[in-house]
Amino acid sequence: MAPRTNQKNRTREALLEAARDIMAEGTEVTLAKVADRAKTSRATVYRYFSDPGVLALDATLDFEVLPTSRLLEDLADVRSRVQKVAQYYLDFSRDHEAYFRQFLAESLKAALEDARRNIRGARRVAAFDEALEPVRGQMDPSDFEDLKKRLAMTTGMEQFIILEDILRVDQPEGDRLLSGLVDALLDRYLPEESARN
Protein backbone atom coordinates (compact mmCIF):
# COMPACT_ATOMS: atom_id res chain seq x y z
CA MET A 1 0.00 0.00 0.00
CA ALA A 2 1.34 3.45 -0.88
CA PRO A 3 2.44 5.72 2.01
CA ARG A 4 -0.25 8.28 1.09
CA THR A 5 -2.96 5.59 1.23
CA ASN A 6 -1.64 4.36 4.58
CA GLN A 7 -1.80 7.90 5.97
CA LYS A 8 -5.36 8.37 4.68
CA ASN A 9 -6.42 5.09 6.30
CA ARG A 10 -4.80 6.07 9.60
CA THR A 11 -6.51 9.46 9.53
CA ARG A 12 -9.88 7.93 8.74
CA GLU A 13 -9.49 5.37 11.55
CA ALA A 14 -8.48 8.14 14.00
CA LEU A 15 -11.63 10.07 13.10
CA LEU A 16 -13.82 6.99 13.50
CA GLU A 17 -12.21 6.18 16.84
CA ALA A 18 -12.79 9.75 18.04
CA ALA A 19 -16.43 9.53 16.98
CA ARG A 20 -16.84 6.20 18.82
CA ASP A 21 -15.34 7.72 21.98
CA ILE A 22 -17.79 10.63 21.79
CA MET A 23 -20.71 8.27 21.17
CA ALA A 24 -19.68 6.08 24.12
CA GLU A 25 -20.07 9.15 26.33
CA GLY A 26 -23.63 9.52 25.06
CA THR A 27 -22.77 12.84 23.42
CA GLU A 28 -23.90 13.98 19.98
CA VAL A 29 -21.24 13.61 17.31
CA THR A 30 -20.26 16.90 15.68
CA LEU A 31 -17.41 17.56 13.29
CA ALA A 32 -15.92 20.06 15.76
CA LYS A 33 -15.93 17.57 18.64
CA VAL A 34 -14.36 14.89 16.44
CA ALA A 35 -11.65 17.30 15.29
CA ASP A 36 -10.84 18.23 18.89
CA ARG A 37 -10.80 14.60 20.04
CA ALA A 38 -8.68 13.45 17.09
CA LYS A 39 -6.37 16.45 17.47
CA THR A 40 -6.83 17.52 13.88
CA SER A 41 -8.44 20.40 12.03
CA ARG A 42 -12.12 20.69 11.23
CA ALA A 43 -11.15 20.98 7.57
CA THR A 44 -9.52 17.55 7.75
CA VAL A 45 -12.62 16.01 9.32
CA TYR A 46 -14.78 17.70 6.68
CA ARG A 47 -12.61 16.26 3.87
CA TYR A 48 -13.38 12.74 5.11
CA PHE A 49 -16.90 13.24 6.48
CA SER A 50 -18.91 16.31 5.54
CA ASP A 51 -21.95 15.09 7.52
CA PRO A 52 -21.69 14.22 11.24
CA GLY A 53 -24.55 11.75 10.84
CA VAL A 54 -22.62 9.79 8.24
CA LEU A 55 -19.55 9.86 10.47
CA ALA A 56 -21.58 8.44 13.39
CA LEU A 57 -23.02 5.73 11.14
CA ASP A 58 -19.62 4.76 9.77
CA ALA A 59 -18.12 4.69 13.25
CA THR A 60 -20.82 2.27 14.37
CA LEU A 61 -20.67 0.05 11.30
CA ASP A 62 -16.88 -0.07 11.55
CA PHE A 63 -17.03 -2.16 14.74
CA GLU A 64 -15.11 -5.40 14.54
CA VAL A 65 -17.69 -8.16 14.44
CA LEU A 66 -16.50 -11.69 15.15
CA PRO A 67 -16.50 -13.65 11.87
CA THR A 68 -19.42 -16.08 11.81
CA SER A 69 -17.10 -18.99 10.97
CA ARG A 70 -15.24 -18.40 14.26
CA LEU A 71 -18.47 -17.93 16.17
CA LEU A 72 -19.75 -21.29 14.92
CA GLU A 73 -16.52 -23.27 15.33
CA ASP A 74 -17.20 -26.84 16.48
CA LEU A 75 -20.99 -26.38 16.31
CA ALA A 76 -22.64 -28.87 13.97
CA ASP A 77 -26.21 -28.80 15.31
CA VAL A 78 -28.21 -26.22 13.35
CA ARG A 79 -30.33 -25.17 16.32
CA SER A 80 -27.21 -24.48 18.40
CA ARG A 81 -25.63 -22.58 15.50
CA VAL A 82 -28.67 -20.36 15.03
CA GLN A 83 -29.10 -19.72 18.76
CA LYS A 84 -25.40 -18.78 18.98
CA VAL A 85 -25.77 -16.18 16.21
CA ALA A 86 -28.95 -14.72 17.71
CA GLN A 87 -27.40 -14.41 21.17
CA TYR A 88 -24.16 -12.96 19.78
CA TYR A 89 -25.92 -10.10 17.98
CA LEU A 90 -28.10 -9.29 20.99
CA ASP A 91 -25.04 -9.30 23.29
CA PHE A 92 -23.08 -7.22 20.77
CA SER A 93 -25.85 -4.63 20.85
CA ARG A 94 -25.88 -4.64 24.66
CA ASP A 95 -22.11 -4.22 24.79
CA HIS A 96 -22.21 -1.24 22.42
CA GLU A 97 -25.55 0.24 23.46
CA ALA A 98 -24.56 3.92 23.33
CA TYR A 99 -23.16 3.58 19.81
CA PHE A 100 -26.14 1.69 18.47
CA ARG A 101 -28.69 4.05 19.97
CA GLN A 102 -26.99 6.91 18.12
CA PHE A 103 -26.72 4.73 15.02
CA LEU A 104 -30.48 4.11 15.08
CA ALA A 105 -31.17 7.80 15.59
CA GLU A 106 -28.93 8.77 12.69
CA SER A 107 -30.23 6.03 10.39
CA LEU A 108 -33.84 7.02 11.08
CA LYS A 109 -33.00 10.68 10.42
CA ALA A 110 -31.20 9.77 7.19
CA ALA A 111 -34.15 7.62 6.07
CA LEU A 112 -36.49 10.57 6.51
CA GLU A 113 -34.17 12.76 4.46
CA ASP A 114 -33.66 10.21 1.68
CA ALA A 115 -35.77 7.06 1.75
CA ARG A 116 -33.67 5.49 -1.02
CA ARG A 117 -30.46 5.71 0.95
CA ASN A 118 -29.23 2.30 2.08
CA ILE A 119 -27.24 2.73 5.27
CA ARG A 120 -28.09 -0.33 7.33
CA GLY A 121 -25.76 -3.27 7.60
CA ALA A 122 -26.87 -6.79 6.76
CA ARG A 123 -24.38 -8.73 8.86
CA ARG A 124 -27.09 -10.60 10.75
CA VAL A 125 -28.69 -11.91 7.56
CA ALA A 126 -25.35 -13.25 6.31
CA ALA A 127 -24.58 -14.76 9.73
CA PHE A 128 -27.89 -16.63 9.85
CA ASP A 129 -27.36 -17.77 6.26
CA GLU A 130 -24.07 -19.36 7.37
CA ALA A 131 -25.59 -20.83 10.54
CA LEU A 132 -28.34 -22.51 8.49
CA GLU A 133 -25.96 -23.84 5.84
CA PRO A 134 -26.15 -27.49 7.02
CA VAL A 135 -29.88 -27.66 6.19
CA ARG A 136 -29.93 -25.51 3.05
CA GLY A 137 -30.18 -28.52 0.75
CA GLN A 138 -33.03 -30.04 2.78
CA MET A 139 -35.23 -26.95 2.61
CA ASP A 140 -37.35 -25.32 -0.04
CA PRO A 141 -35.30 -22.27 -1.19
CA SER A 142 -38.12 -19.81 -0.44
CA ASP A 143 -38.58 -21.28 3.06
CA PHE A 144 -34.83 -21.01 3.63
CA GLU A 145 -34.89 -17.32 2.66
CA ASP A 146 -37.96 -16.63 4.81
CA LEU A 147 -36.39 -18.33 7.83
CA LYS A 148 -33.12 -16.46 7.43
CA LYS A 149 -34.89 -13.09 7.19
CA ARG A 150 -37.23 -13.81 10.08
CA LEU A 151 -34.34 -14.89 12.27
CA ALA A 152 -32.57 -11.61 11.44
CA MET A 153 -35.66 -9.84 12.82
CA THR A 154 -35.27 -11.54 16.22
CA THR A 155 -32.00 -10.03 17.38
CA GLY A 156 -29.78 -6.97 17.30
CA MET A 157 -30.19 -3.39 18.47
CA GLU A 158 -33.85 -3.04 17.56
CA GLN A 159 -34.73 -6.08 19.67
CA PHE A 160 -32.51 -4.87 22.51
CA ILE A 161 -34.50 -1.61 22.54
CA ILE A 162 -37.75 -3.58 22.65
CA LEU A 163 -36.51 -5.72 25.55
CA GLU A 164 -34.96 -2.80 27.44
CA ASP A 165 -37.26 0.15 26.75
CA ILE A 166 -40.64 -1.38 25.97
CA LEU A 167 -40.77 -4.69 27.84
CA ARG A 168 -38.35 -3.51 30.57
CA VAL A 169 -37.02 -6.99 31.26
CA ASP A 170 -33.65 -7.87 32.77
CA GLN A 171 -30.92 -9.60 30.76
CA PRO A 172 -31.72 -13.23 31.73
CA GLU A 173 -35.39 -12.72 30.89
CA GLY A 174 -34.48 -11.01 27.61
CA ASP A 175 -32.22 -13.92 26.69
CA ARG A 176 -34.99 -16.40 27.53
CA LEU A 177 -37.49 -14.54 25.38
CA LEU A 178 -35.03 -14.36 22.48
CA SER A 179 -34.23 -18.07 22.70
CA GLY A 180 -37.93 -18.99 22.73
CA LEU A 181 -38.64 -16.81 19.71
CA VAL A 182 -35.76 -18.36 17.76
CA ASP A 183 -36.89 -21.88 18.74
CA ALA A 184 -40.44 -21.14 17.56
CA LEU A 185 -39.13 -20.12 14.13
CA LEU A 186 -36.87 -23.15 13.91
CA ASP A 187 -39.75 -25.45 14.91
CA ARG A 188 -41.84 -23.92 12.14
CA TYR A 189 -39.26 -24.15 9.36
CA LEU A 190 -36.59 -26.75 9.99
CA PRO A 191 -36.93 -30.17 8.37
CA GLU A 192 -38.32 -32.63 10.95
CA GLU A 193 -35.10 -34.54 11.48
CA SER A 194 -33.06 -31.36 12.00
CA ALA A 195 -35.72 -29.85 14.27
CA ARG A 196 -35.44 -32.79 16.66
CA ASN A 197 -31.63 -32.50 17.04
Side-chain angles (χ1 to χ4, degrees):
M1 200 179 281
R4 177 100 174 115
T5 304
N6 280 333
Q7 179 57 45
K8 286 176 110 175
N9 288 340
R10 282 194 300 273
T11 301
R12 183 179 186 279
E13 184 49 45
L15 298 176
L16 292 172
E17 187 175 337
R20 282 192 290 271
D21 289 346
I22 292 165
M23 291 166 74
E25 295 164 1
T27 307
E28 181 185 359
V29 173
T30 67
L31 300 184
K33 287 178 190 172
V34 170
D36 290 345
R37 184 67 58 99
K39 296 181 177 37
T40 190
S41 69
R42 291 181 191 184
T44 297
V45 178
Y46 192 83
R47 263 198 313 275
Y48 285 82
F49 300 98
S50 58
D51 179 341
V54 172
L55 174 54
L57 289 171
D58 280 5
T60 302
L61 289 174
D62 197 55
F63 272 124
E64 186 63 39
V65 175
L66 187 67
T68 307
S69 57
R70 284 196 36 221
L71 184 65
L72 300 177
E73 274 177 350
D74 303 323
L75 287 177
D77 173 60
V78 171
R79 190 173 293 268
S80 298
R81 290 166 63 91
V82 169
Q83 287 284 2
K84 184 83 170 186
V85 168
Q87 190 64 54
Y88 174 77
Y89 278 94
L90 182 59
D91 289 342
F92 189 77
S93 298
R94 279 186 183 121
D95 294 343
H96 304 292
E97 178 181 357
Y99 301 107
F100 281 108
R101 284 186 183 273
Q102 286 198 35
F103 172 78
L104 282 177
E106 291 298 337
S107 63
L108 291 171
K109 187 167 78 174
L112 287 173
E113 292 166 2
D114 183 358
R116 297 161 301 172
R117 191 169 167 199
N118 183 13
I119 53 176
R120 302 299 309 274
R123 295 181 287 206
R124 280 177 279 179
V125 178
F128 282 117
D129 185 88
E130 191 170 337
L132 291 166
E133 184 59 37
V135 294
R136 184 188 301 270
Q138 302 168 42
M139 293 181 67
D140 176 272
S142 64
D143 282 349
F144 185 91
E145 287 299 310
D146 277 356
L147 176 57
K148 177 175 69 174
K149 289 173 184 171
R150 288 178 174 174
L151 285 168
M153 294 168 62
T154 66
T155 190
M157 187 62 213
E158 302 87 350
Q159 290 63 34
F160 172 71
I161 297 237
I162 291 168
L163 293 169
E164 185 82 3
D165 298 0
I166 298 171
L167 301 179
R168 298 182 185 273
V169 297
D170 61 16
Q171 183 170 339
E173 179 65 1
D175 291 350
R176 186 187 72 79
L177 291 170
L178 169 68
S179 179
L181 185 57
V182 169
D183 274 339
L185 282 169
L186 294 175
D187 289 345
R188 158 68 177 83
Y189 281 97
L190 282 186
E192 254 186 67
E193 191 175 312
S194 300
R196 284 196 300 268
N197 293 334

